């Protein structure tokens, strides 16, 4: 792959099955909620069914919006699964939305959320005390150590400082 005159190096990919399963579950929830909202007024015509979907039960409408957002998120991640974490020699990218200069990357750590879900997080030298999430470990295809090594190897190459990074 290439990005103009720079070569793209893919470091991590996402597993397709959990993303596809999430999209299917969200689509089924969305369809079930929409049918549940529109069924009582089915005999009154399409206009009444549409009004019932939009202005009916507020909780069901909110749940439909959440399911639609979940469906679009799973579909977007599924489309980007083959190149989720990559770099071009200057910046590290996560998907198409976030990027960090390789020179500011200090470390990659594994942290658990409050719900107990482990994720690979990036420590960036930008005077903030927060880490940035790269990928949740259940979605990561391959080992976290290989991804950590690949990110640190790319960051060490930009800094031109010898580093004790092992790439698997």
């Amino acid at each position: 792959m290439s990005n103009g005159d720079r070569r793209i190096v893919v470091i991590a990919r996402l597993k397709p099955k959990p993303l596809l399963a999430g999209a299917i579950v969200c689509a089924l929830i969305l369809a079930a909620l929409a049918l549940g909202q529109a069924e009582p007024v089915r005999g009154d015509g399409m206009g009444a069914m549409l009004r019932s979907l939009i202005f009916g039960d507020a909780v069901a409408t909110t749940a439909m919006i959440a399911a639609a957002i979940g469906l679009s998120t799973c579909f977007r991640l599924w489309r980007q699964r083959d190149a989720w974490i990559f770099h071009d020699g200057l910046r590290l990218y996560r998907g198409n939305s976030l990027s960090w200069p390789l020179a500011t990357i200090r470390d990659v750590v594994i942290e658990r959320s409050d719900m107990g879900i482990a994720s690979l997080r990036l420590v960036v030298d930008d005077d903030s005390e927060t880490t940035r999430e790269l990928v949740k470990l259940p979605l990561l295809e391959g080992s976290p150590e290989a991804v950590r090594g690949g990110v640190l190897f790319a960051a060490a190459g930009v800094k031109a400082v010898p580093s004790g990074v092992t790439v698997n």
Side-chain angles (χ1 to χ4, degrees), residues 14-76:
L14 297 177
K15 292 179 187 176
K17 288 181 182 178
L19 299 173
L20 193 56
I24 290 170
V25 167
C26 287
L28 289 174
I29 290 171
L30 179 62
L33 288 168
L35 286 174
Q37 283 282 92
E39 182 63 30
V41 293
R42 182 178 58 154
D44 295 339
M46 185 60 94
M49 289 172 54
L50 188 60
R51 281 190 299 277
S52 177
L53 284 173
I54 297 172
F55 303 113
D57 185 14
V59 174
T61 303
T62 304
M64 284 190 304
I65 292 170
I69 291 171
L71 176 64
S72 67
T73 299
C74 287
F75 185 67
R76 179 181 51 84

Side-chain angles (χ1 to χ4, degrees), residues 1-157:
M1 292 176 62
S2 66
N3 181 9
D5 59 343
R6 294 182 295 220
R7 184 175 163 87
I8 301 293
V9 178
V10 176
I11 298 173
R13 291 177 169 82
L14 297 177
K15 292 179 187 176
K17 288 181 182 178
L19 299 173
L20 193 56
I24 290 170
V25 167
C26 287
L28 289 174
I29 290 171
L30 179 62
L33 288 168
L35 286 174
Q37 283 282 92
E39 182 63 30
V41 293
R42 182 178 58 154
D44 295 339
M46 185 60 94
M49 289 172 54
L50 188 60
R51 281 190 299 277
S52 177
L53 284 173
I54 297 172
F55 303 113
D57 185 14
V59 174
T61 303
T62 304
M64 284 190 304
I65 292 170
I69 291 171
L71 176 64
S72 67
T73 299
C74 287
F75 185 67
R76 179 181 51 84
L77 292 177
W78 185 76
R79 285 184 31 223
Q80 297 175 356
R81 72 189 180 279
D82 288 333
W84 183 243
I85 299 173
F86 59 95
H87 74 87
D88 61 1
L90 298 175
R91 298 185 71 83
L92 179 74
Y93 297 92
R94 186 191 85 179
N96 291 332
S97 58
L98 294 175
S99 68
W100 302 272
L102 283 172
T104 63
I105 296 173
R106 291 189 311 186
D107 199 4
V108 179
V109 296
I110 295 176
E111 290 183 4
R112 292 201 176 272
S113 68
D114 295 336
M115 295 175 54
I117 299 173
S119 64
L120 209 56
R121 299 186 69 87
L122 191 65
V123 179
V124 180
D125 189 20
D126 64 352
D127 297 332
S128 70
E129 298 297 322
T130 60
T131 58
R132 277 70 174 191
E133 182 176 302
L134 284 176
V135 63
K136 294 191 184 315
L137 292 187
L139 296 178
L140 179 64
E141 184 176 282
S143 72
E145 292 81 21
V147 175
R148 181 181 187 275
V151 170
L152 292 178
F153 184 76

